[in-house]
């Protein structure tokens, strides 16, 4: 049975899950959420009425997220991971006959989900240091008039943060709906959330997978104009967000202080790791996230990745991706994990 012609070239998402001592390949948080959260969750789950559908509007969860950001609950859309948020945006605003702009290299799933909805993806280019040049953004937007334009700040897998000036300029162009993917937003020193309003074609997406230590839950959301959230609510499947997950999210945000403490720790740890990486024979790219991208010099990226794996340290091999020759990405872990990585890397590079 042939798949849709336009899907036959899709490669899908690949990230090997192998059994290793030190796993620093998927940008997860290095530690679990607080024990008090897990206790509260277990108690709440025991009271679920399993024979009933979940609250379709995820009322409590939306209210909790809205309070977190000081916005109206009608400006919050929640889904199963920010990937489902992105998919719902693209089902609603892209699709056949429409165009989606990305600036490469960036998060693979933006282009991949857009293509799965039938849209044409146009790829702008980042500079040699992977920063985004407004002239290039202007060129792509003027030439292709995209229906949806993706920014990713901090950008995965390169780590850089787009400036407020750049995001404001993009909003001033005819860029269609501007999506700023802030999966790592809390690690950066500013957020595009401050630019969201009813009059602006902008949404900011966030996830519980990284900063909230809840990758297992698959929970993400966006903040955007109310009219836009209402459109997404029409497209997403009814009851897509199960009761257990709604409870998990609603409880999680009560532990915001713990999350912010973890973020501070990870940022400090990132600075420590970067300082050591800079002493090695590699090129290190600036990061505002919980991971660092670097490019090997005298050995190939693939060989270094394999050398680390031989020492039971798994990081992300980006070296085969377009524009990322010899690039590897390491997630910041606990100090012990990071030390194990740094020792192994130093050995491999010898
Ligand atoms: C991890 C990541 C996501 C996916 O988040 P989920 O909520 O786990 O689906 C989205 N965008 C970027 C840039 C990411 O790195």
């Amino acid at each position: 049975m042939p798949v849709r012609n336009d899907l036959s070239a899709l490669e899908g998402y690949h990230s090997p899950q192998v059994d290793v001592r030190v796993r620093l390949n998927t940008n997860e948080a290095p530690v679990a959420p607080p024990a008090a959260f897990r206790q509260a969750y277990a108690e709440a789950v025991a009271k679920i009425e399993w024979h009933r559908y979940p609250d379709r509007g995820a009322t409590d969860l939306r209210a909790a997220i809205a309070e977190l950001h000081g916005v109206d609950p009608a400006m919050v859309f929640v889904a199963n991971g920010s990937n489902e948020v992105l998919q719902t945006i693209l089902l609603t605003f892209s699709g056949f006959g429409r165009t989606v702009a990305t600036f490469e290299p960036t998060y693979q799933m933006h282009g991949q989900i857009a293509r799965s909805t039938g849209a044409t993806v146009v790829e702008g280019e980042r500079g040699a240091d992977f920063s985004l040049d407004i002239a290039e953004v202007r060129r792509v937007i003027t030439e292709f008039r995209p229906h949806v334009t993706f920014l990713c700040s901090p950008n995965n897998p390169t780590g850089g943060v787009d400036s407020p000036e750049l995001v404001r300029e993009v909003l001033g162009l005819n860029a269609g709906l501007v999506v700023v993917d802030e999966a790592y937003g809390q690690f950066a020193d500013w957020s595009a959330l401050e630019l969201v309003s009813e009059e602006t074609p902008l949404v900011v997406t966030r996830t519980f997978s990284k900063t909230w230590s809840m990758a297992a839950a698959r929970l993400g959301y966006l903040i955007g104009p109310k009219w836009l959230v209402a459109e997404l609510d029409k497209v997403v499947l009814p009851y897509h967000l199960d009761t257990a997950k709604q409870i998990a999210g609603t409880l999680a945000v009560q532990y915001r202080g713990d999350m912010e403490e973890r973020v501070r720790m990870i940022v400090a740890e990132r600075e420590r790791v970067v300082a050591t990486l800079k002493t090695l024979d590699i090129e290190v790219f600036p990061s505002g996230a919980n991971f660092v991208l670097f490019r090997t010099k005298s050995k190939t990226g693939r060989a270094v990745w394999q050398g680390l794996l031989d020492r039971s340290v798994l990081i992300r091999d980006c070296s085969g991706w377009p524009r990322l020759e010899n690039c590897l990405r390491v997630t910041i872990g606990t100090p012990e994990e990071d030390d194990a990585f740094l020792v192994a890397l130093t050995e491999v590079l010898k």
Side-chain angles (χ1 to χ4, degrees):
M1 188 57 201
V3 300
R4 254 165 48 196
N5 290 340
D6 61 299
L7 293 184
S8 58
L10 276 193
E11 286 191 4
Y13 178 86
H14 297 283
S15 185
Q17 290 190 307
V18 292
D19 220 6
V20 286
R21 190 166 47 89
V22 179
R23 189 157 31 151
L24 301 173
N25 66 329
T26 49
N27 298 343
E28 293 151 331
V31 293
F37 158 79
R38 297 206 278 179
Q39 181 67 33
Y41 176 71
E43 282 163 22
V45 163
K47 294 187 203 127
I48 288 179
E49 292 187 71
W50 287 103
H51 57 302
R52 301 293 179 199
Y53 276 112
D55 170 13
R56 201 173 148 184
T59 319
D60 291 347
L61 177 55
R62 281 192 205 214
I65 293 170
E67 200 190 326
L68 189 68
H69 293 296
V71 299
D72 193 303
M75 295 172 72
V76 181
F77 175 78
V78 214
N80 294 287
S82 57
N83 280 333
E84 197 192 29
V85 175
L86 300 173
Q87 185 184 50
T88 311
I89 294 169
L90 289 164
L91 286 172
T92 312
F93 292 96
S94 74
F96 288 100
R98 293 200 162 201
T99 302
V100 175
T102 64
F103 294 89
E104 302 294 330
T106 190
Y107 186 52
Q108 261 179 278
M109 295 307 294
H110 296 158
Q112 152 117 12
I113 303 170
R115 288 185 183 95
S116 76
T117 70
T120 301
V121 177
V122 294
E123 298 181 341
E125 298 292 326
R126 288 168 187 274
D129 63 353
F130 300 128
S131 67
L132 204 49
D133 178 16
I134 188 68
E136 169 66 357
V137 180
R138 205 175 288 127
R139 179 190 72 78
V140 169
I141 288 167
T142 324
E143 193 176 334
F144 298 103
R145 295 259 162 253
H147 298 85
V148 178
T149 295
F150 274 103
L151 299 178
C152 189
S153 180
N155 186 49
N156 183 8
T158 60
V161 178
D162 293 331
S163 70
E165 294 70 37
L166 183 123
V167 178
R168 266 199 211 94
E169 281 220 45
V170 175
L171 289 171
L173 303 170
N174 231 324
L177 174 64
V178 177
V179 180
V180 182
D181 184 333
E182 289 193 357
Y184 307 93
Q186 293 94 333
F187 295 109
D189 49 13
W190 86 283
S191 165
L193 281 169
E194 63 188 61
L195 303 175
V196 172
S197 81
E198 282 307 297
E199 295 72 39
T200 315
L202 165 71
V203 295
V204 176
T205 64
R206 291 266 173 119
T207 175
F208 281 75
S209 299
K210 318 286 166 60
T211 45
W212 290 97
S213 293
M214 283 173 60
R218 310 302 303 124
L219 184 59
Y221 62 94
L222 69 71
I223 306 292
K226 289 181 203 166
W227 68 266
L228 185 142
V229 170
E231 294 299 330
L232 300 182
D233 278 331
K234 291 185 210 164
V235 173
V236 77
L237 295 176
Y239 310 115
H240 65 128
L241 213 59
D242 65 74
T243 303
K245 182 171 311 188
Q246 292 187 31
I247 291 172
T250 308
L251 289 172
V253 298
Q254 294 177 10
Y255 298 87
R256 178 188 192 162
D258 298 72
M259 182 274 284
E260 287 170 345
E261 183 55 34
R262 286 197 299 275
V263 167
R264 270 194 297 277
M265 265 174 41
I266 292 167
V267 168
E269 190 57 14
R270 177 187 76 208
E271 296 312 302
R272 182 179 80 87
V273 170
V274 165
T276 306
L277 288 178
K278 282 184 172 164
T279 67
L280 301 175
D281 182 32
I282 53 175
E283 182 185 1
V284 184
F285 296 98
S287 171
N290 67 335
F291 57 84
V292 180
L293 187 80
F294 60 94
R295 177 173 268 145
T296 60
K297 288 180 179 167
S298 44
K299 292 191 175 166
T300 66
R302 183 71 195 181
V304 171
W305 181 82
Q306 185 62 52
L308 292 170
L309 190 56
D310 294 343
R311 289 160 179 80
S312 208
V313 176
L314 178 64
I315 68 172
R316 195 69 188 268
D317 180 10
C318 312
S319 66
W321 304 1
R323 307 168 185 84
L324 290 170
E325 197 178 30
N326 290 323
C327 285
L328 303 176
R329 189 196 69 193
V330 61
T331 304
I332 301 301
T334 61
E336 296 73 31
E337 290 170 325
D338 297 336
D339 282 340
F341 157 70
L342 291 168
V343 166
L345 180 64
T346 308
E347 243 176 65
V348 171
L349 288 175
K350 257 202 209 113

